[in-house]
Amino acid sequence: MTTVSEYLFQRLEGLDVEHIFGVPGDYVLDLMDVLNQTSINLICNCNELNAGYAADAYARIRGLGAVCITYGVGGFSLVNAVVGAYAERVPLVVISGAPNSSVKKSKLLLHHTTGDYNLQLSIMEKITVAAVNLTQASQAATQIDQTLAACLHYKRPVYIEIPVDLVNQPCIIPEIQLPLSLKFTNPETESAALEEAVEEAVNLLEKAQRPVILAGVEFHRFGLENQLLQLLENTGYPLATTMLGKSCISEMHPQFIGNYVGALSREDVCQRIETADCVLCLGAIMSDMNLGGYTANLDERKLINANSEKVKIKHHFYQPVYLGDFIEGLISKLQKKDPENLDIKPACHVLSESFISQPENKLTNQRFYERINHFLEDDFIVIADTGDAIISTMDLFMPQNTDFIGQAFYLSIGYSIPACLGAAMADPHRRLMIFVGDGAFQMTAQELSTIIRYKLNPIIFLINNDGYTIERVIQDGAYNDIQPWKYHQIPQVFGESWSCEVSTEGELEAALSQAKANTDCVSFIEIHLDRFDCSPGLIRLGKALGKKA
C-alpha cells in the first residue's frame, strides 16, 4: 500500500520534478529516507535560504520546483526565498517535516519550536496560495492533489506540512485523482468577457499607426512563448520586454527593440515605447523596478494591459480572461502592419560593431559588458544578482534558446549563486553564466561549495567594485563598505575549480578563453572595477530619480 510520503513524491515525479533541494533536520529525516528511495535526487544545501533560491531557479527553468526542510528553524530560514517566489510567480512546493501529532496535542515545548505549533503554518499561509497541515492519512492524498493543483494553476508557492507520525502511514488514493493540469479559466464564464476584451483591443490596435508590444514574465510562467512569436508574425509589431520578461523571446529577433525599464532603458527604446499611440502590454508585473523606479511613462489612455486572469483597457476591466486565450483572439483578428510605418530598430544591430580589445587598458564596467555581449552564445542560462549586475545585464542580448534569470521584482541580494545550482540541475545540458557583485556574493558564497561538489561547470563573474555600488549611487555612506575578500582564491578552498582575477582588457581576453575551454569544473573570474564604475542604466536611473525628488 502507498504511504503518505510515497504518494507525495510519486505525484512530484509525475510532474517532472527530478531534484528536490533541502537541508536535513530531525523532523524531516524519515521523509528524506523515503525520498532517497525514489528516482528524485535530494540535493542538500548549505542552508535553507539557499535551498529555496535553488528550487526557485529550478522552477523557472523546469516549470516546477520543490524544497524539503525541517520544522521551525528550517521553515523560518526559508521564508525569504518563498516570499520572492510568491512575488515573481514561481511555482514552488515547500515540504516541511513536523513534530509528532501527539506531541502537538500535549503542547510540549520542543526544540525548534516556540510552543505554538500553528506558527509556521500561519506564516506560510500568508506567503503561499495554498498551505496544508496533513493530519489524517485518509485525507492526505486529496489534500496533496489540491495543493499541487493550486501551485500549477496560480504559478505560486504552496506549503505541505507532514508530521513525523504520518510519513509512513498508508493513505487512501482517490478512485478518481484530481488532474493537476487544469484549464486556467472556465470557457463558459470567460467567453463573454474575452470576446469584449478582444474586440475593444483590436479596435484600438487597428486604428493605431505606431503600436508596440511590451511583454512580461507571464510568457515564461505559463509557457506562452510560441504564441508570442505567432502574434509577432501576424502583426509585424515591434516588441520590447520588461526586465522580468527578458528572454521570453530570442533577442536576436528582427522585431525585438530592447528592454523597457523606464529610465533604465536605452534612450531609443524609451522613446519608441513612450511615443507609441498604443501599447499592448502582455503578462507584465507592473512593479517599481520593472518600471525603472516608476520612471516609466505609460499613458493609460493608450495602454492595453493583459495579465494571466484579467485585461484592463483604459478604465475598462475584463475578468476572468486567460492571457493565452486573449492572445489567441488577437492573433485571429489583427491585420499585419506595414513595417515601414512601425519604426522598428532591431536591438541586435548593436552587435554589428565588432569588439576590439585594448589589452593594456584598465577594464571598465561598460567595456566588460560590451565584451560579454560578443562572448555569449546560444543555449546559455544567464543569471544576474540584485544590484548593478542585474541592471548591467539588461542590455546583454540573449541569443537563441538562452534564458535570463534575475529577481527583477523582489530583488533579494545573494540570489544568484544558489540559483546557479538550481538552474544547472534543471537543465544539465546548458552552460550557465553568472554575474554577481561582491556584496551579493558575501551573502550566499557557501553554496559555491555545493556547485563544486556536484562537478558543475558554470562561468561565474564576481564583480568586485568594493562594496554596494548600487547603494552608493542612491546614497553613499560607510554602511556600503564591506570587508574585501580575496574572492578568486575562495573556490579552491571548496574544491576542484579554476579561478583568476582580471583588471585589464588583455587579462579578460585570456580569462574568457580559458573559461570557454574549461568544461570540467567551475570557472570563477574576479573582475576588478572602481567603486563608482557602474552601468549606464544605473546612471540614467539615478539622474531620473534625482529629477523626481
Side-chain angles (χ1 to χ4, degrees):
M1 184 173 283
T2 303
T3 65
V4 171
S5 55
E6 287 172 342
Y7 184 80
L8 171 60
F9 295 133
Q10 285 172 10
R11 289 303 249 167
L12 290 173
E13 284 176 310
L15 294 169
D16 200 30
V17 173
E18 295 183 355
H19 301 81
I20 291 179
F21 302 86
V23 178
D26 52 355
Y27 297 124
V28 78
L29 295 179
D30 287 351
L31 193 60
M32 286 184 169
D33 282 339
V34 176
L35 175 56
N36 281 333
Q37 300 303 311
T38 72
S39 65
I40 299 176
N41 298 290
L42 173 62
I43 307 297
C44 288
N45 298 85
C46 296
N47 61 50
E48 289 84 2
L49 177 62
N50 290 355
Y53 287 153
D56 174 295
Y58 186 94
R60 292 177 193 232
I61 297 297
R62 202 70 175 246
L64 184 66
V67 59
C68 186
I69 41 85
T70 195
Y71 193 75
V73 293
F76 298 141
S77 295
L78 178 67
V79 163
N80 188 55
V82 180
V83 174
Y86 186 94
E88 300 203 351
R89 301 205 70 149
V90 179
L92 178 67
V93 181
V94 178
I95 305 163
S96 177
N100 190 292
S101 303
S102 61
V103 174
K104 288 183 181 181
K105 292 174 184 176
S106 63
K107 297 184 179 179
L108 295 176
L109 296 179
L110 291 185
H111 61 284
H112 299 342
T113 78
T114 63
D116 179 357
Y117 292 102
N118 290 317
L119 181 59
Q120 183 165 304
L121 178 65
S122 298
I123 291 172
M124 289 294 179
E125 283 176 335
K126 297 180 186 304
I127 57 175
T128 63
V129 291
V132 61
N133 172 22
L134 304 182
T135 57
Q136 296 182 42
S138 60
Q139 299 176 3
T142 298
Q143 290 176 304
I144 288 169
D145 283 356
Q146 290 172 339
T147 306
L148 294 178
C151 183
L152 296 172
H153 181 88
Y154 294 106
K155 309 299 182 186
R156 280 190 161 134
V158 295
Y159 174 72
I160 300 173
E161 185 176 303
I162 307 179
V164 172
D165 53 304
L166 251 70
V167 168
N168 292 310
Q169 282 194 33
C171 69
I172 299 173
I173 300 176
E175 291 184 13
I176 302 176
Q177 287 185 311
L178 181 70
L180 299 183
S181 180
L182 302 175
K183 173 70 177 172
F184 200 84
T185 53
N186 185 335
E188 293 182 6
T189 58
E190 180 194 19
S191 58
L194 172 62
E195 186 177 336
E196 290 179 20
V198 170
E199 182 180 359
E200 183 173 2
V202 168
N203 285 338
L204 284 175
L205 290 164
E206 291 289 78
K207 291 176 184 176
Q209 299 299 308
R210 302 179 74 251
V212 66
I213 298 172
L214 181 60
V217 69
E218 289 182 344
F219 282 98
H220 283 304
R221 299 295 183 264
F222 293 96
L224 298 173
E225 294 92 341
N226 287 336
Q227 284 178 286
L228 177 58
L229 288 170
Q230 187 63 54
L231 181 63
L232 289 173
E233 173 67 25
N234 282 30
T235 63
Y237 295 177
L239 168 84
T241 60
T242 64
M243 190 179 292
L244 258 178
K246 187 173 175 64
S247 80
C248 67
I249 185 175
S250 167
E251 295 182 351
M252 302 299 165
H253 194 286
Q255 289 163 247
F256 176 75
I257 63 171
N259 296 111
Y260 178 69
V261 195
L264 285 170
S265 318
R266 296 196 321 270
E267 187 175 343
D268 61 309
V269 180
C270 236
Q271 191 272 341
R272 180 62 184 87
I273 294 290
E274 294 177 1
T275 61
D277 51 1
C278 189
V279 177
L280 177 58
C281 183
L282 301 170
I285 296 175
M286 307 297 265
S287 68
D288 61 344
M289 187 60 182
N290 239 8
L291 299 175
Y294 288 129
T295 58
N297 183 17
L298 297 173
D299 188 341
E300 274 199 351
R301 295 169 299 176
K302 303 173 183 177
L303 183 65
I304 300 167
N305 190 11
N307 290 102
S308 55
E309 295 182 75
K310 65 183 178 184
V311 176
K312 181 176 183 286
I313 303 175
K314 298 182 179 180
H315 299 291
H316 304 159
F317 286 88
Y318 300 94
Q319 192 172 11
V321 175
Y322 171 48
L323 179 61
D325 292 340
F326 180 67
I327 295 170
E328 285 293 337
L330 297 179
I331 289 171
S332 67
K333 292 182 179 297
L334 287 172
Q335 303 297 311
K336 194 160 190 172
K337 295 276 188 184
D338 183 348
E340 290 187 9
N341 298 326
L342 289 173
D343 188 21
I344 300 176
K345 297 175 183 175
C348 62
H349 281 185
V350 174
L351 298 179
S352 60
E353 297 181 15
S354 59
F355 181 90
I356 301 174
S357 176
Q358 305 293 328
E360 303 302 319
N361 286 5
K362 178 176 171 54
L363 189 62
T364 64
N365 179 290
Q366 185 168 345
R367 289 285 287 175
F368 169 66
Y369 286 101
E370 283 178 9
R371 178 64 185 94
I372 296 300
N373 243 338
H374 291 269
F375 180 72
L376 257 176
E377 297 176 346
D378 292 350
D379 299 318
F380 265 87
I381 297 175
V382 177
I383 302 179
D385 214 307
T386 295
D388 192 41
I390 197 169
I391 295 174
S392 295
T393 52
M394 184 180 68
D395 288 328
L396 287 182
F397 294 104
M398 299 297 110
Q400 197 72 29
N401 299 322
T402 295
D403 283 304
F404 177 85
I405 296 176
Q407 275 203 336
F409 172 17
Y410 190 60
L411 295 178
S412 189
I413 188 170
Y415 172 83
S416 66
I417 296 300
C420 170
L421 172 67
M425 293 296 180
D427 193 342
H429 302 297
R430 288 199 282 169
R431 196 149 192 209
L432 274 81
M433 187 179 292
I434 313 301
F435 298 88
V436 56
D438 48 345
F441 182 74
Q442 289 197 11
M443 293 278 185
T444 54
Q446 67 273 64
E447 213 58 51
L448 180 59
S449 68
T450 315
I451 293 169
I452 292 172
R453 175 186 178 186
Y454 284 98
K455 297 180 171 55
L456 304 176
N457 65 351
I459 301 172
I460 299 174
F461 295 103
L462 185 288
I463 314 300
N464 184 354
N465 47 18
D466 195 23
Y468 297 123
T469 293
I470 190 169
E471 303 289 353
R472 294 191 199 283
V473 172
I474 297 170
Q475 183 170 316
D476 197 16
Y479 38 74
N480 293 323
D481 298 334
I482 60 175
Q483 172 63 21
W485 293 0
K486 296 179 179 178
Y487 295 99
H488 66 285
Q489 295 181 7
I490 291 174
Q492 301 183 26
V493 174
F494 293 141
E496 184 180 352
S497 55
W498 174 80
S499 59
C500 70
E501 56 182 334
V502 164
S503 297
T504 68
E505 291 190 15
E507 290 170 348
L508 176 62
E509 289 301 318
L512 292 177
S513 179
Q514 178 71 22
K516 186 173 184 178
N518 175 36
T519 58
D520 296 329
C521 62
V522 168
S523 295
F524 188 97
I525 302 172
E526 180 180 356
I527 305 293
H528 289 278
L529 299 176
D530 292 337
R531 63 162 51 183
F532 282 102
D533 183 8
C534 60
S535 65
L538 184 57
I539 295 169
R540 290 193 295 266
L541 179 64
K543 289 179 179 178
L545 291 177
K547 291 177 183 177
K548 294 181 73 172

